[in-house]
């Protein structure tokens, strides 16, 4: 009879197992007596694993199966034991055979449980029950071995390769166990199925856990999307694979055996990943040929690194791949990407970087942080400190570079000087020389000419801006959107300059040039590496603040010019003399009643013009005082104090955002409804100044072209700006009705503003209450009726009347 012994078996890692002889006399005699055997195998060239897929002759074992039930119990146990030693190594036995093909296993159609193997029908029931328990081990072995075979391919990456290598070492121990059991079966006479079960039972827990892990990985692979970098195959690799193992480690933390197994698997699998992680946080380099790391690098053009609105060059160069971030690295993912990113920034600045050993010697372990089981499996406190230490060092070095070598503080103060109108005499000088250009239509404004005039003002030795080192970084620009639209886009984190203009330049009540003056803004070029902190969206917010403050400054200038027009006109003197001494108002011998009534009406209009101009100017000045001295200056002082205490770049950016948010809230730019009210008030003020200019020009005896005329002052509106109110308008329309319209509009919206400020003062800041009280310091807006037409007109010649401006004290 042919010998049925198993020859030398080669493990999956190439190690040759110790040969165990099965040629014992008694065992050979028994085999000959029962005529049980198989094809003879060469002890050195053949492996039992090769017989797995080898076809078995149909004539073989057919008769023997029919006689298995007729054999004694001990003989059945011996034959089944021999079969089990083959089955445990993945080879079909004579009485125990698989019913699931390899193709079904590859397709994921694995059937769990003992019915995966078909037992001989006449087998003793007690033996069959024990066999059903043992074959679970063979089932798990096949699943693990198939996984190792399929995932050892090159495309699966180094983390999967490390996991399969660790599984292969565990299977080698399992194979050694089977060889030792075979040796026991051949040398110990009373070795039976019960002893076999006793020895393999501890391994069943480990093999079941490994098979369950394989099923979990396959489940993730089924859900993973297919990509170009995976060759169309959904791979569970890199950080995603480590996340699966770590989640199972936490889930089985109550079982010390399975927990220790997953800790060993995680520790072995994470070695390639940790090498990439250490290379990134210590050197700022990514060596990831299989796309397994949590950070991916894209290299845009360096020329564009200061133009990106969402964060410039560096935010677009490195980004997190969320799918490849293991769960245990979630709390540290931002620190990991920033540690390497800031290290690359330092390299770009050509700063000296010490060796990794020297940097690591400066790190101190912080044992106060809670360490979980997963982190303990990866190195515990030293693993966490390697990340935290690299993050702290790169931040500390970059902060020192920014403040000491790149003068970040001076750059911020320069931005405050230009955008927040700190020492803003240059704005007054610029409006003096470029006022007429700014009032032209958009297609008539050559931006190069305006920029040349602005540069001329900045280079003026008498200007405070000339002392700034960064005046070359600021220039003039025109926004493509009104302030309201730009603020709406800014809230969506979009650059207001990157969209094509939609409604800019459109006539609003015929005031084309006013839309252009509202589009005036400054542009500031932040040099690298200060652009890491002063991002493009910060400059966009400063532009919104500048446009908001500049509009108030411009309205204040125009209201002052309206006062000059009223002073130069004879109407102002006529109204003053008439209110004080009406008898002196008439010329010698003049008794024309119609002329007297006309002069009296003109004096009344002029008195109302002066009163409304004063109320508008008071509101504008109080609001400017509130923005400059109650919002910006205190916020800036707190901002500079916080910058001195900043330990990381993120804290510096957070302090900057907090300051800008404080300015937006204080200047009412964060409330859409209040912005609409403010814009309406500013629109009424601008319309009123044009009306006052036109009215004085129409009634004035002076010629605009002569010396002393209205157009002689730099801030005066040119005649073309008053074309809306021409001579025909005043000849055919009562100026009093138009003036009353402005009065009603201003009164209506200023009351809305006062009510809103009072509400904000009660809920947010007392500064708003103070502003509301200063605007309505004499309770004028509370006492006066909503509709001014309900006021009874008092004759001009009654001292102390309603139209006596000196008596009203406004």
């Amino acid at each position: 009879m042919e010998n049925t012994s198993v020859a030398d078996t080669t493990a999956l890692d190439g190690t040759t197992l110790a040969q165990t002889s099965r040629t014992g006399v008694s065992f050979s005699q028994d085999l000959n007596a029962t005529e049980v055997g198989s094809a003879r195998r060469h002890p050195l060239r053949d492996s039992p694993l090769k017989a797995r897929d080898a076809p078995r002759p149909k004539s073989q074992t057919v008769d023997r199966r029919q006689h298995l039930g007729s054999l004694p119990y001990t003989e059945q146990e011996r034959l089944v034991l021999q079969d089990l030693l083959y089955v445990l190594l993945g080879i079909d036995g004579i009485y125990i055979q698989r019913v699931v093909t390899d193709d079904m296993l590859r397709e994921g159609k694995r059937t769990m449980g003992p019915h995966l193997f078909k037992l001989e029908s006449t087998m003793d029931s007690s033996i069959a029950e024990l066999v059903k328990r043992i074959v679970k081990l063979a089932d798990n072995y096949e699943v693990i071995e198939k996984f190792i075979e399929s995932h050892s391919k090159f495309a699966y990456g180094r983390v999967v390769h490390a996991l399969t290598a660790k599984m292969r070492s565990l299977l080698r121990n399992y194979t050694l166990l089977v060889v030792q059991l075979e040796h026991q079966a051949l040398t110990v006479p009373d070795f039976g199925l019960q002893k076999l079960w006793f020895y393999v039972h501890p391994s069943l827990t480990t093999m079941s856990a490994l098979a369950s892990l394989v099923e979990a990985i396959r489940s993730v692979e089924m859900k993973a999307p297919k990509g170009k970098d995976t060759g169309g195959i959904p791979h569970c690799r890199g950080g995603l694979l480590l996340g699966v193992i770590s989640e199972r480690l936490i889930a089985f933390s109550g079982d010390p055996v399975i927990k220790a197994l997953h800790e060993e698997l995680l520790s072995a699998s994470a070695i390639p990943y940790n090498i990439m992680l250490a290379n990134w946080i210590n050197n700022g380099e990514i060596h990831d040929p299989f796309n397994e790391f949590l950070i991916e690098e894209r290299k845009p053009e360096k020329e564009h690194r200061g133009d990106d609105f969402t964060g410039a060059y560096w935010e677009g160069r490195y980004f997190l791949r969320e799918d490849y971030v293991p769960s245990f690295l979630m709390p540290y993912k931002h620190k990991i990407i920033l540690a390497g990113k800031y290290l690359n920034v330092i390299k770009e600045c050509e700063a000296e970087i010490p060796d990794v050993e020297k940097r690591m010697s400066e790190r101190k372990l912080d044992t106060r942080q809670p360490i979980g089981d997963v982190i303990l499996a990866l190195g515990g406190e030293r693993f966490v400190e390697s990340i935290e230490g690299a993050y702290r060092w790169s931040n500390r070095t970059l902060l020192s570079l920014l403040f000491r070598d790149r003068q970040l503080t001076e750059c911020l103060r320069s931005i405050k000087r230009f955008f927040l109108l700190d020492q803003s005499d240059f704005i007054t000088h610029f409006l003096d020389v470029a006022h007429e250009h700014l009032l032209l239509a958009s297609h008539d404004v050559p931006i190069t000419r305006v920029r040349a005039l602005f540069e001329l003002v900045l280079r003026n030795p008498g200007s405070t801006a000339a002392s700034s080192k960064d005046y070359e970084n600021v220039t003039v620009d025109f926004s493509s959107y009104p302030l309201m639209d730009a603020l709406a886009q800014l809230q969506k984190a979009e650059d207001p300059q990157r969209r094509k203009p939609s409604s800019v330049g459109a006539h609003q009540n015929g005031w084309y040039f006013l839309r252009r003056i509202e589009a005036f803004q400054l542009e500031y070029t932040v040099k690298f590496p200060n652009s890491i902190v002063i991002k493009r969206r910060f400059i966009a917010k400063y532009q919104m603040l500048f446009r908001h403050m500049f509009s108030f400054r411009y309205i204040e200038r125009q209201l002052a010019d309206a006062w000059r027009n009223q002073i130069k006109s004879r109407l102002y003197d006529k109204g003053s003399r008439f209110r004080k001494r009406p008898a002196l108002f008439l010329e010698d011998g003049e008794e024309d009643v119609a002329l007297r009534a006309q002069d009296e009406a003109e004096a009344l209009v002029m008195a109302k013009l002066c009163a409304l101009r004063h109320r508008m100017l008071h509101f504008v000045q109080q609001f400017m005082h509130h923005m400059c001295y109650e919002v910006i200056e205190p916020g800036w002082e707190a901002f500079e104090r916080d910058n001195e205490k900043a330990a990381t770049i993120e804290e510096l950016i957070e302090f900057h955002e907090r300051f800008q948010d404080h300015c937006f809230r204080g200047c009412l730019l964060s409330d859409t409804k209040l912005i609409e009210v403010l814009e309406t008030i500013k629109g009424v003020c601008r319309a009123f100044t044009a009306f006052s200019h036109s009215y004085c020009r129409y009634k004035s005896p002076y010629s605009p072209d002569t010396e002393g005329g209205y157009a002689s002052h730099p801030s005066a509106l040119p005649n073309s700006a008053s074309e809306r109110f021409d001579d025909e308008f005043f000849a055919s329309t009562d100026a009093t009705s138009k003036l009353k319209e402005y009065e009603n509009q201003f009164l209506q919206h200023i009351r809305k503003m006062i009510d809103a400020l009072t509400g904000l003062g009660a809920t947010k800041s007392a500064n708003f209450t103070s502003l509301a009280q200063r605007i309505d310091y004499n309770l004028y807006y509370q006492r006066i009726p909503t509709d001014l037409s309900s006021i009874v007109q008092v004759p001009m010649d009654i001292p102390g009347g309603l139209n006596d401006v000196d008596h009203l004290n406004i």
Side-chain angles (χ1 to χ4, degrees):
M1 181 63 191
E2 296 180 353
N3 191 6
T4 59
S5 62
V6 179
D8 293 350
T9 309
T10 304
L12 293 179
D13 60 349
T15 304
T16 303
L17 302 179
Q19 181 181 359
T20 304
S21 174
R22 292 186 179 181
T23 57
V25 176
S26 59
F27 191 58
S28 300
Q29 291 176 355
D30 293 336
L31 292 178
N32 292 330
T34 55
E35 296 182 352
V36 178
S38 60
R40 185 176 184 88
R41 302 179 179 90
H42 194 280
L44 297 178
R45 293 194 301 268
D46 294 338
S47 172
L49 298 179
K50 293 183 178 180
R52 176 186 305 175
D53 299 324
R56 189 179 298 274
K58 294 184 178 180
S59 60
Q60 189 179 10
T61 72
V62 175
D63 295 335
R64 294 178 177 80
R65 289 182 182 178
Q66 294 177 353
H67 296 86
L68 185 60
S70 62
L71 297 176
Y73 179 86
T74 55
E75 192 67 21
Q76 288 189 38
E77 183 180 15
R78 185 179 63 81
L79 294 176
V80 171
L81 177 61
Q82 180 185 1
D83 256 15
L84 279 175
L85 293 175
Y86 280 94
V87 172
L88 290 177
L89 292 178
I91 306 172
D92 281 348
I94 299 176
Y95 305 104
I96 306 172
Q97 294 184 349
R98 294 171 296 171
V99 295
V100 179
T101 63
D102 295 339
D103 294 336
M104 296 177 63
L105 285 174
R106 293 190 186 97
E107 294 175 2
K109 300 178 181 179
R110 173 175 174 264
T111 304
M112 299 295 295
H115 57 275
L116 179 65
F117 292 88
K118 182 179 180 181
L119 307 182
E120 209 273 336
S121 59
T122 61
M123 186 183 301
D124 186 82
S125 59
S126 60
I127 295 178
E129 187 64 28
L130 193 57
V131 169
K132 291 178 182 178
R133 300 178 185 179
I134 299 175
V135 293
K136 294 180 181 179
L137 193 61
D139 184 18
N140 295 329
Y141 173 80
E142 278 202 59
V143 172
I144 300 168
E145 204 239 350
K146 285 290 184 181
F147 175 80
I148 293 174
E149 180 182 351
S150 62
H151 286 67
S152 296
K153 298 178 182 178
F154 179 81
Y156 278 85
R158 292 181 291 184
V159 175
V160 179
H161 293 169
L163 175 63
T164 55
K166 186 61 181 178
M167 287 183 171
R168 189 178 292 113
S169 67
L170 295 176
L171 287 188
R172 182 168 61 249
N173 296 335
Y174 168 80
T175 308
L176 289 174
L177 173 64
V178 175
V179 172
Q180 292 173 357
L181 293 176
E182 182 185 20
H183 178 72
Q184 291 288 326
L186 294 176
T187 57
V188 179
D190 58 346
F191 187 85
L193 291 178
Q194 289 292 341
K195 285 189 176 182
L196 177 65
W197 170 245
F198 173 78
Y199 285 118
V200 300
H201 181 265
S203 300
L204 183 61
T205 303
T206 302
M207 298 294 286
S208 299
L210 289 176
S212 177
L213 175 61
V214 170
E215 292 296 324
I217 295 174
R218 285 177 174 172
S219 177
V220 174
E221 286 182 341
M222 292 298 179
K223 300 177 183 179
K226 297 181 180 180
K228 295 180 179 179
D229 56 344
T230 62
I233 303 176
H235 293 171
C236 176
R237 58 185 181 179
L240 186 59
L241 176 63
L242 297 179
V244 173
I245 301 175
S246 62
E247 290 173 1
R248 290 178 57 84
L249 190 154
I250 298 173
F252 292 103
S253 58
D255 191 330
V257 176
I258 300 181
K259 177 184 176 182
L261 172 65
H262 282 85
E263 287 178 349
E264 190 175 356
L265 291 173
L266 180 62
S267 178
S269 304
I271 291 177
Y273 199 86
N274 290 341
I275 293 175
M276 290 187 288
L277 179 61
N279 192 31
W280 167 251
I281 63 177
N282 293 324
N283 301 319
E285 300 174 357
I286 298 178
H287 183 62
D288 185 20
F290 299 98
N291 295 322
E292 302 172 283
F293 197 45
L294 76 162
I295 300 172
E296 185 174 351
E297 180 181 7
R298 294 177 181 174
K299 295 182 178 181
E301 296 295 333
K302 288 187 177 181
E303 297 81 26
H304 304 338
R305 63 186 177 188
D307 299 335
D308 189 5
F309 175 70
T310 58
Y313 171 74
W314 292 99
E315 286 192 7
R317 180 172 179 178
Y318 303 105
F319 63 94
L320 283 171
R321 305 196 310 177
E322 297 291 343
D323 293 339
Y324 290 91
V325 180
S327 57
F328 56 88
L329 287 182
M330 280 294 181
Y332 311 101
K333 61 180 182 180
H334 294 295
K335 293 183 178 180
I336 290 173
I337 187 173
L338 292 176
K341 180 191 293 186
Y342 294 156
L343 194 60
N344 280 283
V345 172
I346 298 171
K347 289 181 178 179
E348 285 284 338
C349 297
E350 299 180 355
E352 183 179 357
I353 300 178
D355 296 336
V356 177
E357 293 76 9
K358 184 177 181 180
R359 281 181 277 158
M360 294 183 65
S361 63
E362 299 176 0
R363 303 172 185 173
K364 298 180 180 179
L365 292 176
D366 187 2
T367 58
R368 296 173 296 177
Q369 298 185 17
I371 304 296
D373 295 334
V374 178
I375 300 298
L376 286 175
L378 297 173
E381 297 172 354
R382 302 194 67 86
F383 177 79
V384 175
E385 182 56 29
S386 63
I387 299 174
E388 295 284 354
Y391 174 73
R392 289 195 301 267
W393 186 91
S394 60
N395 272 277
R396 184 173 62 251
T397 306
L398 183 56
L399 281 175
S400 176
L401 176 68
L402 292 176
F403 284 104
R404 187 186 67 250
D405 299 337
R406 305 294 176 168
Q407 290 80 37
L408 178 61
T409 302
E410 294 299 325
C411 182
L412 290 171
R413 289 174 180 174
S414 175
I415 291 176
K416 177 175 180 282
R417 175 182 292 110
F418 291 110
F419 285 94
L420 303 182
L421 303 185
D422 182 27
Q423 300 177 354
S424 58
D425 59 319
F426 67 94
I427 289 293
T428 303
H429 299 161
F430 174 70
L431 287 176
D432 289 343
V433 299
H435 189 207
E436 294 186 2
H437 298 286
L438 296 177
L439 295 181
L440 296 175
S442 58
H443 57 274
D444 295 333
V445 181
I447 192 171
T448 54
R449 184 184 305 173
V450 177
R451 287 178 176 175
L453 292 174
F454 186 77
E455 183 179 357
L456 180 65
V457 170
L458 294 184
R459 292 180 180 272
N460 183 10
S463 174
T464 56
S467 60
S468 175
K469 299 179 180 180
D470 298 330
Y471 71 89
E472 294 182 353
N473 297 330
V474 64
T475 185
V476 171
D477 194 13
F478 290 107
S479 175
S480 301
Y481 288 90
L483 181 60
M484 288 288 295
D485 295 345
L487 286 172
Q489 293 180 9
L490 189 63
Q491 293 177 355
K492 298 178 182 179
E494 297 179 358
D495 191 349
Q497 302 301 321
R498 289 195 178 274
R499 291 196 175 193
K500 296 182 179 180
S502 58
S503 60
V504 174
H507 291 268
Q508 183 180 8
N509 298 329
W511 290 64
Y512 192 96
F513 63 91
L514 285 180
R515 301 294 286 179
R516 196 55 183 173
I517 193 67
E518 290 177 356
F520 174 75
Q521 65 182 15
L522 299 181
E523 182 62 54
Y524 196 93
T525 303
V526 183
K527 297 181 179 180
F528 178 82
N530 290 340
S531 58
I532 299 295
V533 177
I534 309 174
K535 300 183 179 182
R536 178 61 196 170
R537 68 173 183 268
F538 292 156
I539 297 298
K541 287 186 177 182
Y542 280 125
Q543 287 176 337
M544 299 302 103
L545 287 169
F546 172 80
R547 293 178 63 183
H548 187 53
M549 299 178 69
F550 175 77
S551 62
F552 278 99
R553 175 67 69 86
Y554 178 75
I555 291 172
E556 181 185 16
R557 177 187 177 91
Q558 295 308 112
L559 289 172
D561 182 67
W563 173 78
R564 280 189 295 267
N565 292 340
Q566 294 163 6
I567 288 293
K568 291 179 181 181
S569 68
R570 191 174 64 176
L571 301 175
Y572 186 86
D573 298 334
K574 183 189 300 184
S576 300
R577 288 187 286 108
F578 181 79
R579 288 194 301 272
K580 294 180 180 179
R581 300 182 64 183
L584 298 177
F585 181 74
L586 298 176
E587 297 180 1
D588 296 338
E590 184 179 8
E591 296 180 356
D592 190 353
V593 178
L595 183 59
R596 173 184 171 85
Q598 179 182 356
D599 292 341
E600 181 179 339
E602 292 177 354
L604 179 60
V605 171
M606 181 55 63
K608 289 186 176 182
L609 280 174
C610 294
L612 183 57
R613 171 191 53 78
H614 179 77
R615 292 196 295 271
M616 290 180 175
L617 185 61
H618 175 72
F619 166 74
V620 171
Q621 289 177 341
Q622 292 301 322
F623 200 87
M624 284 290 294
H625 179 275
H626 166 75
M627 290 192 295
C628 294
Y629 296 103
E630 294 181 354
V631 177
I632 295 177
E633 286 300 331
W636 184 264
E637 292 179 1
F639 175 49
E640 286 196 336
R641 288 195 302 268
D642 291 338
N643 286 347
E644 295 176 356
K645 299 182 295 183
T648 63
I649 300 296
E650 284 64 50
E651 290 182 359
L652 201 60
I653 295 175
E654 180 183 356
F655 295 151
H656 204 169
E657 290 180 344
R658 185 189 305 171
F659 167 70
Q660 288 194 329
D661 292 342
H662 167 76
C663 293
F664 266 60
R665 289 192 301 269
C667 297
L668 305 182
L669 288 176
S670 58
D671 194 321
T672 306
K673 295 182 179 179
L674 288 180
I675 282 294
E676 292 178 356
V677 175
L678 274 176
E679 289 298 305
T680 304
I681 293 176
K682 290 190 287 185
V684 173
C685 293
R686 287 191 296 265
F688 169 77
T689 56
F691 172 81
S692 175
H693 176 82
S694 301
Y695 182 78
C696 292
R697 183 176 61 86
Y698 175 72
K699 294 292 184 179
S700 172
Y702 298 105
S703 173
D705 300 328
T706 60
E707 184 179 358
Y710 301 117
S712 60
H713 196 273
S715 64
L717 286 173
N719 295 332
S720 58
S722 304
E723 292 178 355
R724 180 186 177 191
F725 305 103
D726 52 8
D727 295 349
E728 295 181 1
F729 173 82
F730 292 106
S732 61
T733 306
D734 185 9
T736 305
S737 61
K738 192 63 179 178
L739 181 60
K740 186 176 293 185
E741 178 184 344
Y742 292 137
E743 288 179 333
N744 287 330
Q745 290 180 358
F746 183 76
L747 177 62
Q748 176 186 358
H749 292 92
I750 202 68
R751 278 178 167 170
K752 290 182 180 179
M753 179 59 60
I754 292 174
D755 293 340
L757 292 175
T758 304
L760 291 175
T763 57
K764 293 185 178 180
S765 174
N767 290 335
F768 296 114
T769 303
S770 175
L771 175 60
Q773 291 175 351
R774 292 199 306 271
I775 293 174
D776 194 15
Y777 66 97
N778 58 356
L779 303 180
Y780 170 79
Y781 297 107
Q782 292 185 11
R783 293 186 286 106
I784 195 168
T786 305
D787 188 6
L788 295 181
S789 62
S790 62
I791 301 178
V792 179
Q793 185 66 51
V794 181
M796 291 287 297
D797 55 354
I798 298 179
L802 178 65
N803 296 307
D804 190 346
V805 180
D806 297 332
H807 173 73
L808 287 177
N809 190 26
I810 56 177

